[in-house]
Amino acid sequence: MDRHQWQLVSHNIGMSSQASDTNRESPSSTGAVMPRCVAHVDMDAFYASVEQQKRPELAGKPLAVGGRHHQAGTRPTRGVITTASYEARRFGVRSAMSVHEALQRCPELVLVPVDFAAYRAMSQRFKQALLALAPVMEDRGIDEVYLELTDHLAGRSAPDMAKALQQAVFEATGLTCSIGIAPNKLLAKIASDMQKPAGISLLDPSNLQQRLWTLPVRKLYGVGPRAEDRLVGLGIATIGQIASFGLLALQEVFGQRYGLWLHESANGIDTRPVVTHSDPVSSSRETTFDRLLHPRQDWTIIAKTLEQLCQRLAQDLQRKDWLAKSVGVKVRFDDLRIVSRDVALRVPSNGFEPLRRAAFEALARAPVERRLRLLGVKASGLVASIEQPVLADQKPLADTTARPKCSLNGSRTRHSSQLDLL
DNA sequence: TCTGGGGTCCTAGGACCC
DNA sequence: TCTGGGGTCCTAGGACCC
C-alpha cells in the first residue's frame, strides 16, 4: 500500500522565466505601504460560449462541448463533458462529467465536438485586449490569466480597472469574463469564481474572514479530491476551519511543508509573483481507442497508433523548435490503471525516427497484460533547439514561495535503460 | 459497457560522481 | 575493518489544474 505523505511542493520557475518585480509591498510616495493588486480574469464557460457565438441558434440552449463524436451529425453517448453552458449547468451538467450522466440530467442537451482552433483564436483576442490595459500578464491556460495591477492601475480604482478590463474583453470577443481582485494570486483566483458569470469580486484583508473562511476547502487552489477527503476526515470542511486548526496540528497530519502551505493559504497568504514567461517542460499526444484493444490480437492497430502519435509529437516539437531529452509512453488499461515508461535519448532530438524508436523501446518495457484503453507518447526535458548547446545543463531556479502539491508515492523499482540513438 | 487531452510539479530510490 | 554525505540524473507514479 502506498504511504500517505503530504508535502508542499515549491513553485519552480525556469531559468528563462520572468517574474514581475511586484512581489512585494510597494512603498508609495508618502511612504505608506501599498498592498499588491492582482487580478484573475476567467472567461465564462469559455468553450461553450465560443460555440454559442459561432452558432447563434444555440444561444440560450443547454449546450455542452465534448463527448466522443464518431460521425459528424450523430450525438455521442461516450466521452466526457469539457465545458457546459450556464443553461446546461442549471440541469447539473458539469465539466469532467460523463456524457452518459449529462444526458440523464439533461435529455435535451446539445452536444458539440471541441474546436480548439476556434478557442485558441478567441483566446488570443481576449489576451491581447487585456494586455493593452495591463501589460504584466501570466498565462494560465486557454481561458484565464493573472494580471499584476500594482503600479498598473493608471490612476483608476481597482474596481474601475476591472470594469475596463471586462469591457475591453467584450469589445474584442463578444464574450463575458469574471474578474477577481485581491492582494495576491491565491485570493484573486478564489474571488473570480465568486460571482460568475460577468462578475467582479474583491477580496482583501477586511473581508477575508467573512468571504474566505466560509468557503469549502475545495475552493483552495491546490486542494483536490484527495486532500479534501483527508481534511473532511479530520472534520475540516471550510477554509476557516483549516485556519483555526492550527499550524502545528496541520503539520502533524500533513507534514511540515504541506501543513505550512495549508495554514498560509487558509489565512490568505500567498507571495507568488505574476510570471510573464515560462518555457515548456514537456509535450505530449495521446488518444483513447474507440474500443478496448487486446495487446497481441490488436497489435497492428496499437503499433500504427503509436507511430501516428510520434509523428504528431515530432511535428509539434519541430514547429516550436524544441528538442526532447527523453521520450515516454503512457498506457491506460481497461481497469483505468495507468503505467508509463520513459527512455532517455543519448542526443536530444525532435526527429520522427528517434522518437519512434524510443517510444517502441519504452512500450516494450511496459507490462502490458490487460486490454488497452488509451495510448500516449510524451516528450520531456525539452530544450530549445537553437540555444541547446548553451542551455543544455541549466537548472530550474527554485522559487522561495510556496505552492501546494500533495503526493501519495509508493516505492518502486527502477527499470533503467539508456537507448543509444542517432 | 464507465473518464478526454494537454499540462505542471513533486517524491522516491538507484546510479553515479566527487 | 568499518563506513559518509552531498549533488544530480534517470525513471515511475501521483496529485492537481484547465
Side-chain angles (χ1 to χ4, degrees), chain A residues 95-133:
Chain A
S95 296
M97 181 178 280
S98 71
V99 166
H100 183 76
E101 187 179 349
L103 288 173
Q104 283 185 332
R105 292 184 184 222
C106 179
E108 65 263 48
L109 185 67
V110 178
L111 280 155
V112 300
V114 290
D115 177 2
F116 279 110
Y119 313 147
R120 269 194 297 268
M122 196 65 91
S123 180
Q124 285 197 345
R125 278 159 67 179
F126 93 79
K127 287 171 189 171
Q128 285 304 319
L130 291 172
L131 276 172
L133 287 170

Side-chain angles (χ1 to χ4, degrees), chain A residues 18 77 123 215 240 281 361 379:
Chain A
Q18 289 143 28
T77 54
S123 180
L215 297 173
V281 300
E361 158 82 10

Side-chain angles (χ1 to χ4, degrees), chain A residues 114-183:
Chain A
V114 290
D115 177 2
F116 279 110
Y119 313 147
R120 269 194 297 268
M122 196 65 91
S123 180
Q124 285 197 345
R125 278 159 67 179
F126 93 79
K127 287 171 189 171
Q128 285 304 319
L130 291 172
L131 276 172
L133 287 170
V136 181
M137 171 185 291
E138 177 174 334
D139 206 316
R140 292 303 301 183
I142 201 160
D143 69 340
E144 60 182 79
V145 301
Y146 289 105
L147 300 171
E148 180 61 71
L149 297 182
T150 317
D151 303 333
H152 295 287
L153 284 170
R156 293 184 179 90
S157 69
D160 282 351
M161 183 61 165
K163 283 177 205 153
L165 293 167
Q166 278 186 330
Q167 184 64 27
V169 167
F170 188 78
E171 282 167 10
T173 65
L175 302 178
T176 63
C177 61
S178 296
I179 299 184
I181 303 265

Side-chain angles (χ1 to χ4, degrees), chain A residues 399-411:
Chain A
D399 187 7
T400 53
T401 57
R403 210 175 86 100
K405 284 292 140 105
C406 335
S407 69
L408 286 156
N409 291 336
S411 59

Side-chain angles (χ1 to χ4, degrees), chain A residues 6-10 251 254-262 402:
Chain A
W6 297 81
Q7 290 101 357
L8 174 83
V9 173
S10 64
Q251 287 182 314
F254 294 98
Q256 288 284 113
R257 306 177 68 192
Y258 189 71
L260 176 63
W261 176 80
L262 278 174

Side-chain angles (χ1 to χ4, degrees), chain A residues 66-80 99 111-113 287-292:
Chain A
R68 296 180 68 74
H69 293 252
H70 298 291
Q71 297 148 345
T74 62
R75 195 156 89 147
T77 54
R78 290 188 57 193
V80 292
V99 166
L111 280 155
V112 300
T287 187
T288 297
F289 299 113
D290 289 335
R291 62 179 176 86
L292 297 172

